[in-house]
PDB file of all heavy atoms in Angstrom:
ATOM      1  N   LEU A   1       7.556  18.428   9.136  1.00  0.00           N
ATOM      2  CA  LEU A   1       6.640  19.481   9.643  1.00  0.00           C
ATOM      3  C   LEU A   1       5.287  19.209   8.872  1.00  0.00           C
ATOM      4  O   LEU A   1       4.252  19.202   9.642  1.00  0.00           O
ATOM      5  CB  LEU A   1       7.154  20.764   9.335  1.00  0.00           C
ATOM      6  CG  LEU A   1       6.244  22.036   9.767  1.00  0.00           C
ATOM      7  CD1 LEU A   1       6.052  21.906  11.258  1.00  0.00           C
ATOM      8  CD2 LEU A   1       6.886  23.338   9.398  1.00  0.00           C
ATOM      9  N   ALA A   2       5.318  19.005   7.679  1.00  0.00           N
ATOM     10  CA  ALA A   2       4.062  18.674   6.877  1.00  0.00           C
ATOM     11  C   ALA A   2       3.399  17.421   7.358  1.00  0.00           C
ATOM     12  O   ALA A   2       2.172  17.472   7.546  1.00  0.00           O
ATOM     13  CB  ALA A   2       4.352  18.658   5.455  1.00  0.00           C
ATOM     14  N   GLY A   3       4.137  16.403   7.621  1.00  0.00           N
ATOM     15  CA  GLY A   3       3.620  15.194   8.211  1.00  0.00           C
ATOM     16  C   GLY A   3       2.976  15.378   9.570  1.00  0.00           C
ATOM     17  O   GLY A   3       1.914  14.833   9.839  1.00  0.00           O
ATOM     18  N   GLY A   4       3.640  16.109  10.481  1.00  0.00           N
ATOM     19  CA  GLY A   4       3.183  16.524  11.724  1.00  0.00           C
ATOM     20  C   GLY A   4       1.928  17.307  11.618  1.00  0.00           C
ATOM     21  O   GLY A   4       0.952  17.076  12.422  1.00  0.00           O
ATOM     22  N   ILE A   5       1.803  18.249  10.787  1.00  0.00           N
ATOM     23  CA  ILE A   5       0.578  19.035  10.507  1.00  0.00           C
ATOM     24  C   ILE A   5      -0.603  18.175  10.189  1.00  0.00           C
ATOM     25  O   ILE A   5      -1.642  18.166  10.674  1.00  0.00           O
ATOM     26  CB  ILE A   5       0.774  20.173   9.477  1.00  0.00           C
ATOM     27  CG1 ILE A   5       1.820  21.212  10.019  1.00  0.00           C
ATOM     28  CG2 ILE A   5      -0.579  20.837   9.109  1.00  0.00           C
ATOM     29  CD1 ILE A   5       2.293  22.134   9.023  1.00  0.00           C
ATOM     30  N   ALA A   6      -0.324  17.241   9.175  1.00  0.00           N
ATOM     31  CA  ALA A   6      -1.388  16.263   8.668  1.00  0.00           C
ATOM     32  C   ALA A   6      -1.855  15.453   9.851  1.00  0.00           C
ATOM     33  O   ALA A   6      -3.087  15.199   9.934  1.00  0.00           O
ATOM     34  CB  ALA A   6      -0.759  15.562   7.458  1.00  0.00           C
ATOM     35  N   THR A   7      -0.929  14.988  10.666  1.00  0.00           N
ATOM     36  CA  THR A   7      -1.365  14.210  11.815  1.00  0.00           C
ATOM     37  C   THR A   7      -2.121  14.930  12.831  1.00  0.00           C
ATOM     38  O   THR A   7      -3.118  14.466  13.391  1.00  0.00           O
ATOM     39  CB  THR A   7      -0.023  13.597  12.427  1.00  0.00           C
ATOM     40  OG1 THR A   7       0.627  12.853  11.521  1.00  0.00           O
ATOM     41  CG2 THR A   7      -0.409  12.774  13.640  1.00  0.00           C
ATOM     42  N   ASN A   8      -1.824  16.190  13.051  1.00  0.00           N
ATOM     43  CA  ASN A   8      -2.521  17.057  13.990  1.00  0.00           C
ATOM     44  C   ASN A   8      -3.837  17.414  13.497  1.00  0.00           C
ATOM     45  O   ASN A   8      -4.874  17.428  14.371  1.00  0.00           O
ATOM     46  CB  ASN A   8      -1.753  18.340  14.283  1.00  0.00           C
ATOM     47  CG  ASN A   8      -0.399  18.060  15.146  1.00  0.00           C
ATOM     48  OD1 ASN A   8      -0.473  17.203  15.982  1.00  0.00           O
ATOM     49  ND2 ASN A   8       0.703  18.859  14.971  1.00  0.00           N
ATOM     50  N   ILE A   9      -4.030  17.773  12.247  1.00  0.00           N
ATOM     51  CA  ILE A   9      -5.299  18.272  11.767  1.00  0.00           C
ATOM     52  C   ILE A   9      -6.309  17.151  11.496  1.00  0.00           C
ATOM     53  O   ILE A   9      -7.592  17.408  11.452  1.00  0.00           O
ATOM     54  CB  ILE A   9      -5.269  19.217  10.542  1.00  0.00           C
ATOM     55  CG1 ILE A   9      -4.663  18.512   9.312  1.00  0.00           C
ATOM     56  CG2 ILE A   9      -4.374  20.374  10.954  1.00  0.00           C
ATOM     57  CD1 ILE A   9      -4.598  19.250   8.078  1.00  0.00           C
ATOM     58  N   ILE A  10      -5.857  15.896  11.314  1.00  0.00           N
ATOM     59  CA  ILE A  10      -6.807  14.817  11.197  1.00  0.00           C
ATOM     60  C   ILE A  10      -7.821  14.692  12.462  1.00  0.00           C
ATOM     61  O   ILE A  10      -8.892  14.279  12.352  1.00  0.00           O
ATOM     62  CB  ILE A  10      -6.153  13.459  10.979  1.00  0.00           C
ATOM     63  CG1 ILE A  10      -7.158  12.388  10.373  1.00  0.00           C
ATOM     64  CG2 ILE A  10      -5.494  12.903  12.074  1.00  0.00           C
ATOM     65  CD1 ILE A  10      -7.683  12.739   9.019  1.00  0.00           C
ATOM     66  N   GLN A  11      -7.269  15.110  13.636  1.00  0.00           N
ATOM     67  CA  GLN A  11      -7.988  15.126  14.828  1.00  0.00           C
ATOM     68  C   GLN A  11      -9.292  16.131  14.686  1.00  0.00           C
ATOM     69  O   GLN A  11     -10.219  15.919  15.535  1.00  0.00           O
ATOM     70  CB  GLN A  11      -7.142  15.497  15.987  1.00  0.00           C
ATOM     71  CG  GLN A  11      -6.061  14.482  16.255  1.00  0.00           C
ATOM     72  CD  GLN A  11      -4.984  14.900  17.315  1.00  0.00           C
ATOM     73  OE1 GLN A  11      -5.109  16.013  17.870  1.00  0.00           O
ATOM     74  NE2 GLN A  11      -3.964  14.223  17.386  1.00  0.00           N
ATOM     75  N   ASP A  12      -9.060  17.104  13.894  1.00  0.00           N
ATOM     76  CA  ASP A  12     -10.210  18.060  13.638  1.00  0.00           C
ATOM     77  C   ASP A  12     -11.095  17.593  12.492  1.00  0.00           C
ATOM     78  O   ASP A  12     -11.960  18.337  12.009  1.00  0.00           O
ATOM     79  CB  ASP A  12      -9.684  19.372  13.383  1.00  0.00           C
ATOM     80  CG  ASP A  12      -8.939  20.100  14.496  1.00  0.00           C
ATOM     81  OD1 ASP A  12      -9.342  19.688  15.725  1.00  0.00           O
ATOM     82  OD2 ASP A  12      -8.054  20.909  14.366  1.00  0.00           O
ATOM     83  N   GLY A  13     -10.783  16.410  11.924  1.00  0.00           N
ATOM     84  CA  GLY A  13     -11.522  15.932  10.794  1.00  0.00           C
ATOM     85  C   GLY A  13     -11.137  16.463   9.482  1.00  0.00           C
ATOM     86  O   GLY A  13     -11.811  16.270   8.462  1.00  0.00           O
ATOM     87  N   VAL A  14      -9.889  17.090   9.411  1.00  0.00           N
ATOM     88  CA  VAL A  14      -9.406  17.545   8.128  1.00  0.00           C
ATOM     89  C   VAL A  14      -8.400  16.492   7.524  1.00  0.00           C
ATOM     90  O   VAL A  14      -7.470  16.213   8.115  1.00  0.00           O
ATOM     91  CB  VAL A  14      -8.755  18.951   8.382  1.00  0.00           C
ATOM     92  CG1 VAL A  14      -8.149  19.389   7.009  1.00  0.00           C
ATOM     93  CG2 VAL A  14      -9.630  19.873   8.956  1.00  0.00           C
ATOM     94  N   LYS A  15      -8.846  15.991   6.379  1.00  0.00           N
ATOM     95  CA  LYS A  15      -7.958  14.965   5.706  1.00  0.00           C
ATOM     96  C   LYS A  15      -7.091  15.580   4.689  1.00  0.00           C
ATOM     97  O   LYS A  15      -7.616  16.282   3.823  1.00  0.00           O
ATOM     98  CB  LYS A  15      -8.886  13.846   5.132  1.00  0.00           C
ATOM     99  CG  LYS A  15      -9.765  13.143   6.186  1.00  0.00           C
ATOM    100  CD  LYS A  15     -10.628  12.089   5.471  1.00  0.00           C
ATOM    101  CE  LYS A  15     -11.573  11.503   6.566  1.00  0.00           C
ATOM    102  NZ  LYS A  15     -12.909  11.877   6.327  1.00  0.00           N
ATOM    103  N   THR A  16      -5.796  15.252   4.783  1.00  0.00           N
ATOM    104  CA  THR A  16      -4.966  15.806   3.824  1.00  0.00           C
ATOM    105  C   THR A  16      -3.928  14.738   3.503  1.00  0.00           C
ATOM    106  O   THR A  16      -3.642  13.772   4.171  1.00  0.00           O
ATOM    107  CB  THR A  16      -4.086  17.092   4.358  1.00  0.00           C
ATOM    108  OG1 THR A  16      -3.425  16.712   5.480  1.00  0.00           O
ATOM    109  CG2 THR A  16      -5.023  18.215   4.637  1.00  0.00           C
ATOM    110  N   ASP A  17      -3.218  15.066   2.373  1.00  0.00           N
ATOM    111  CA  ASP A  17      -2.078  14.207   1.959  1.00  0.00           C
ATOM    112  C   ASP A  17      -0.960  15.232   1.451  1.00  0.00           C
ATOM    113  O   ASP A  17      -1.291  16.350   1.159  1.00  0.00           O
ATOM    114  CB  ASP A  17      -2.439  13.299   0.832  1.00  0.00           C
ATOM    115  CG  ASP A  17      -1.430  12.021   0.780  1.00  0.00           C
ATOM    116  OD1 ASP A  17      -0.470  11.978   1.623  1.00  0.00           O
ATOM    117  OD2 ASP A  17      -1.567  11.174  -0.200  1.00  0.00           O
ATOM    118  N   ILE A  18       0.220  14.757   1.593  1.00  0.00           N
ATOM    119  CA  ILE A  18       1.304  15.686   1.266  1.00  0.00           C
ATOM    120  C   ILE A  18       2.322  15.098   0.165  1.00  0.00           C
ATOM    121  O   ILE A  18       2.346  13.955   0.030  1.00  0.00           O
ATOM    122  CB  ILE A  18       2.231  16.091   2.482  1.00  0.00           C
ATOM    123  CG1 ILE A  18       2.900  14.824   3.129  1.00  0.00           C
ATOM    124  CG2 ILE A  18       1.319  16.923   3.526  1.00  0.00           C
ATOM    125  CD1 ILE A  18       3.892  15.078   4.260  1.00  0.00           C
ATOM    126  N   THR A  19       2.833  15.970  -0.561  1.00  0.00           N
ATOM    127  CA  THR A  19       3.838  15.544  -1.625  1.00  0.00           C
ATOM    128  C   THR A  19       5.200  15.517  -1.027  1.00  0.00           C
ATOM    129  O   THR A  19       5.447  16.083   0.076  1.00  0.00           O
ATOM    130  CB  THR A  19       3.832  16.447  -2.869  1.00  0.00           C
ATOM    131  OG1 THR A  19       4.359  17.736  -2.333  1.00  0.00           O
ATOM    132  CG2 THR A  19       2.347  16.632  -3.399  1.00  0.00           C
ATOM    133  N   ALA A  20       6.136  14.933  -1.783  1.00  0.00           N
ATOM    134  CA  ALA A  20       7.584  15.045  -1.468  1.00  0.00           C
ATOM    135  C   ALA A  20       8.123  16.501  -1.491  1.00  0.00           C
ATOM    136  O   ALA A  20       7.571  17.215  -2.208  1.00  0.00           O
ATOM    137  CB  ALA A  20       8.372  14.164  -2.388  1.00  0.00           C
ATOM    138  N   PRO A  21       9.066  16.764  -0.609  1.00  0.00           N
ATOM    139  CA  PRO A  21       9.488  18.216  -0.566  1.00  0.00           C
ATOM    140  C   PRO A  21      10.344  18.557  -1.742  1.00  0.00           C
ATOM    141  O   PRO A  21      10.919  17.736  -2.468  1.00  0.00           O
ATOM    142  CB  PRO A  21      10.346  18.232   0.624  1.00  0.00           C
ATOM    143  CG  PRO A  21      10.794  16.743   0.840  1.00  0.00           C
ATOM    144  CD  PRO A  21       9.654  15.954   0.330  1.00  0.00           C
ATOM    145  N   THR A  22      10.162  19.857  -2.211  1.00  0.00           N
ATOM    146  CA  THR A  22      10.926  20.442  -3.260  1.00  0.00           C
ATOM    147  C   THR A  22      11.785  21.494  -2.623  1.00  0.00           C
ATOM    148  O   THR A  22      11.210  22.408  -2.046  1.00  0.00           O
ATOM    149  CB  THR A  22      10.046  21.076  -4.371  1.00  0.00           C
ATOM    150  OG1 THR A  22       9.230  19.958  -4.941  1.00  0.00           O
ATOM    151  CG2 THR A  22      10.818  21.729  -5.503  1.00  0.00           C
ATOM    152  N   ILE A  23      13.018  21.528  -2.847  1.00  0.00           N
ATOM    153  CA  ILE A  23      13.950  22.513  -2.406  1.00  0.00           C
ATOM    154  C   ILE A  23      13.973  23.708  -3.373  1.00  0.00           C
ATOM    155  O   ILE A  23      14.167  23.398  -4.602  1.00  0.00           O
ATOM    156  CB  ILE A  23      15.339  22.052  -2.115  1.00  0.00           C
ATOM    157  CG1 ILE A  23      15.397  20.882  -1.230  1.00  0.00           C
ATOM    158  CG2 ILE A  23      16.283  23.126  -1.659  1.00  0.00           C
ATOM    159  CD1 ILE A  23      14.873  21.079   0.200  1.00  0.00           C
ATOM    160  N   MET A  24      13.871  24.857  -2.901  1.00  0.00           N
ATOM    161  CA  MET A  24      14.069  26.068  -3.771  1.00  0.00           C
ATOM    162  C   MET A  24      15.204  26.892  -3.298  1.00  0.00           C
ATOM    163  O   MET A  24      15.346  27.285  -2.127  1.00  0.00           O
ATOM    164  CB  MET A  24      12.645  26.906  -3.694  1.00  0.00           C
ATOM    165  CG  MET A  24      11.549  26.182  -4.142  1.00  0.00           C
ATOM    166  SD  MET A  24       9.973  27.085  -3.843  1.00  0.00           S
ATOM    167  CE  MET A  24       9.838  27.122  -2.077  1.00  0.00           C
ATOM    168  N   GLN A  25      16.080  27.049  -4.289  1.00  0.00           N
ATOM    169  CA  GLN A  25      17.349  27.870  -4.031  1.00  0.00           C
ATOM    170  C   GLN A  25      17.505  28.955  -5.087  1.00  0.00           C
ATOM    171  O   GLN A  25      17.245  28.663  -6.277  1.00  0.00           O
ATOM    172  CB  GLN A  25      18.637  26.941  -4.078  1.00  0.00           C
ATOM    173  CG  GLN A  25      18.593  25.977  -2.859  1.00  0.00           C
ATOM    174  CD  GLN A  25      19.809  25.018  -2.950  1.00  0.00           C
ATOM    175  OE1 GLN A  25      20.000  24.346  -3.890  1.00  0.00           O
ATOM    176  NE2 GLN A  25      20.645  25.151  -1.863  1.00  0.00           N
ATOM    177  N   GLY A  26      17.962  30.195  -4.673  1.00  0.00           N
ATOM    178  CA  GLY A  26      18.137  31.204  -5.595  1.00  0.00           C
ATOM    179  C   GLY A  26      16.936  32.015  -5.665  1.00  0.00           C
ATOM    180  O   GLY A  26      15.994  31.847  -4.931  1.00  0.00           O
ATOM    181  N   ASN A  27      16.962  33.016  -6.566  1.00  0.00           N
ATOM    182  CA  ASN A  27      15.890  33.969  -6.621  1.00  0.00           C
ATOM    183  C   ASN A  27      14.608  33.324  -7.144  1.00  0.00           C
ATOM    184  O   ASN A  27      14.446  33.043  -8.393  1.00  0.00           O
ATOM    185  CB  ASN A  27      16.292  35.151  -7.492  1.00  0.00           C
ATOM    186  CG  ASN A  27      15.374  36.253  -7.410  1.00  0.00           C
ATOM    187  OD1 ASN A  27      14.579  36.458  -6.479  1.00  0.00           O
ATOM    188  ND2 ASN A  27      15.387  37.160  -8.450  1.00  0.00           N
ATOM    189  N   THR A  28      13.684  32.987  -6.235  1.00  0.00           N
ATOM    190  CA  THR A  28      12.446  32.290  -6.633  1.00  0.00           C
ATOM    191  C   THR A  28      11.196  33.110  -6.403  1.00  0.00           C
ATOM    192  O   THR A  28      11.088  33.832  -5.327  1.00  0.00           O
ATOM    193  CB  THR A  28      12.312  31.052  -5.804  1.00  0.00           C
ATOM    194  OG1 THR A  28      13.541  30.222  -5.938  1.00  0.00           O
ATOM    195  CG2 THR A  28      11.139  30.145  -6.148  1.00  0.00           C
ATOM    196  N   THR A  29      10.271  33.160  -7.332  1.00  0.00           N
ATOM    197  CA  THR A  29       9.057  33.864  -7.314  1.00  0.00           C
ATOM    198  C   THR A  29       7.802  32.795  -7.501  1.00  0.00           C
ATOM    199  O   THR A  29       7.918  32.114  -8.494  1.00  0.00           O
ATOM    200  CB  THR A  29       8.946  35.018  -8.268  1.00  0.00           C
ATOM    201  OG1 THR A  29      10.010  35.947  -8.118  1.00  0.00           O
ATOM    202  CG2 THR A  29       7.541  35.787  -8.139  1.00  0.00           C
ATOM    203  N   LEU A  30       6.923  32.826  -6.601  1.00  0.00           N
ATOM    204  CA  LEU A  30       5.782  31.961  -6.755  1.00  0.00           C
ATOM    205  C   LEU A  30       4.531  32.797  -6.961  1.00  0.00           C
ATOM    206  O   LEU A  30       4.387  33.749  -6.169  1.00  0.00           O
ATOM    207  CB  LEU A  30       5.605  31.086  -5.562  1.00  0.00           C
ATOM    208  CG  LEU A  30       6.768  30.073  -5.309  1.00  0.00           C
ATOM    209  CD1 LEU A  30       6.604  29.474  -3.907  1.00  0.00           C
ATOM    210  CD2 LEU A  30       6.903  28.980  -6.336  1.00  0.00           C
ATOM    211  N   THR A  31       3.651  32.460  -7.916  1.00  0.00           N
ATOM    212  CA  THR A  31       2.401  33.119  -8.076  1.00  0.00           C
ATOM    213  C   THR A  31       1.356  32.067  -8.532  1.00  0.00           C
ATOM    214  O   THR A  31       1.644  30.825  -8.492  1.00  0.00           O
ATOM    215  CB  THR A  31       2.532  34.090  -9.269  1.00  0.00           C
ATOM    216  OG1 THR A  31       2.877  33.317 -10.407  1.00  0.00           O
ATOM    217  CG2 THR A  31       3.574  35.144  -9.012  1.00  0.00           C
ATOM    218  N   GLY A  32       0.221  32.486  -8.621  1.00  0.00           N
ATOM    219  CA  GLY A  32      -0.903  31.515  -9.225  1.00  0.00           C
ATOM    220  C   GLY A  32      -1.674  30.888  -8.077  1.00  0.00           C
ATOM    221  O   GLY A  32      -2.365  29.953  -8.348  1.00  0.00           O
ATOM    222  N   TYR A  33      -1.669  31.351  -6.815  1.00  0.00           N
ATOM    223  CA  TYR A  33      -2.496  30.890  -5.861  1.00  0.00           C
ATOM    224  C   TYR A  33      -3.660  31.759  -5.537  1.00  0.00           C
ATOM    225  O   TYR A  33      -3.651  32.988  -5.937  1.00  0.00           O
ATOM    226  CB  TYR A  33      -1.662  30.655  -4.535  1.00  0.00           C
ATOM    227  CG  TYR A  33      -0.729  31.846  -4.161  1.00  0.00           C
ATOM    228  CD1 TYR A  33      -1.213  32.816  -3.543  1.00  0.00           C
ATOM    229  CD2 TYR A  33       0.584  31.770  -4.606  1.00  0.00           C
ATOM    230  CE1 TYR A  33      -0.382  33.944  -3.269  1.00  0.00           C
ATOM    231  CE2 TYR A  33       1.450  32.877  -4.371  1.00  0.00           C
ATOM    232  CZ  TYR A  33       0.923  33.915  -3.668  1.00  0.00           C
ATOM    233  OH  TYR A  33       1.765  35.061  -3.373  1.00  0.00           O
ATOM    234  N   GLU A  34      -4.677  31.191  -4.959  1.00  0.00           N
ATOM    235  CA  GLU A  34      -5.867  32.064  -4.754  1.00  0.00           C
ATOM    236  C   GLU A  34      -5.685  32.873  -3.505  1.00  0.00           C
ATOM    237  O   GLU A  34      -5.868  34.118  -3.537  1.00  0.00           O
ATOM    238  CB  GLU A  34      -7.039  31.063  -4.373  1.00  0.00           C
ATOM    239  CG  GLU A  34      -8.376  31.816  -4.353  1.00  0.00           C
ATOM    240  CD  GLU A  34      -9.544  30.833  -4.006  1.00  0.00           C
ATOM    241  OE1 GLU A  34      -9.657  29.808  -4.702  1.00  0.00           O
ATOM    242  OE2 GLU A  34     -10.369  31.116  -3.215  1.00  0.00           O
ATOM    243  N   LYS A  35      -5.220  32.423  -2.374  1.00  0.00           N
ATOM    244  CA  LYS A  35      -5.027  33.147  -1.164  1.00  0.00           C
ATOM    245  C   LYS A  35      -3.685  32.655  -0.519  1.00  0.00           C
ATOM    246  O   LYS A  35      -3.363  31.432  -0.672  1.00  0.00           O
ATOM    247  CB  LYS A  35      -6.158  33.014  -0.158  1.00  0.00           C
ATOM    248  CG  LYS A  35      -7.354  33.802  -0.428  1.00  0.00           C
ATOM    249  CD  LYS A  35      -8.253  33.717   0.803  1.00  0.00           C
ATOM    250  CE  LYS A  35      -9.640  34.114   0.501  1.00  0.00           C
ATOM    251  NZ  LYS A  35      -9.961  35.484   0.186  1.00  0.00           N
ATOM    252  N   ALA A  36      -3.035  33.493   0.177  1.00  0.00           N
ATOM    253  CA  ALA A  36      -1.830  33.078   0.963  1.00  0.00           C
ATOM    254  C   ALA A  36      -1.805  33.607   2.260  1.00  0.00           C
ATOM    255  O   ALA A  36      -1.967  34.785   2.496  1.00  0.00           O
ATOM    256  CB  ALA A  36      -0.542  33.459   0.110  1.00  0.00           C
ATOM    257  N   LEU A  37      -1.339  32.802   3.335  1.00  0.00           N
ATOM    258  CA  LEU A  37      -1.101  33.230   4.607  1.00  0.00           C
ATOM    259  C   LEU A  37       0.411  33.262   4.874  1.00  0.00           C
ATOM    260  O   LEU A  37       1.054  32.240   4.530  1.00  0.00           O
ATOM    261  CB  LEU A  37      -1.859  32.363   5.552  1.00  0.00           C
ATOM    262  CG  LEU A  37      -3.358  32.498   5.597  1.00  0.00           C
ATOM    263  CD1 LEU A  37      -3.963  31.391   6.467  1.00  0.00           C
ATOM    264  CD2 LEU A  37      -3.757  33.862   6.102  1.00  0.00           C
ATOM    265  N   HIS A  38       0.894  34.187   5.608  1.00  0.00           N
ATOM    266  CA  HIS A  38       2.268  34.309   6.050  1.00  0.00           C
ATOM    267  C   HIS A  38       2.320  34.145   7.456  1.00  0.00           C
ATOM    268  O   HIS A  38       1.716  34.965   8.248  1.00  0.00           O
ATOM    269  CB  HIS A  38       2.901  35.692   5.555  1.00  0.00           C
ATOM    270  CG  HIS A  38       4.262  35.796   6.005  1.00  0.00           C
ATOM    271  ND1 HIS A  38       4.764  37.097   6.184  1.00  0.00           N
ATOM    272  CD2 HIS A  38       5.219  34.997   6.332  1.00  0.00           C
ATOM    273  CE1 HIS A  38       6.051  36.937   6.622  1.00  0.00           C
ATOM    274  NE2 HIS A  38       6.368  35.752   6.698  1.00  0.00           N
TER     275      HIS A  38
END
C-alpha cells in the first residue's frame, strides 16, 4: 500500500520514500506527531 501510494503521488510531483514495515501488536499508543488524519 505504501509503495502504491508513493507511485501514485509522484505523478503529482510529490517525492517520497518509505521505510520497511513495523508490525504493532498489543496495547499500543503513539504520540509525538504534529498532525494526524484518520
Side-chain angles (χ1 to χ4, degrees):
L1 184 59
I5 293 167
T7 300
N8 288 327
I9 65 176
I10 193 72
Q11 297 168 8
D12 293 333
V14 180
K15 296 179 186 109
T16 59
D17 201 3
I18 60 174
T19 66
T22 299
I23 304 297
M24 298 175 292
Q25 292 178 299
N27 193 21
T28 305
T29 301
L30 297 169
T31 60
Y33 43 84
E34 186 180 317
K35 285 192 191 295
L37 291 172
H38 173 208

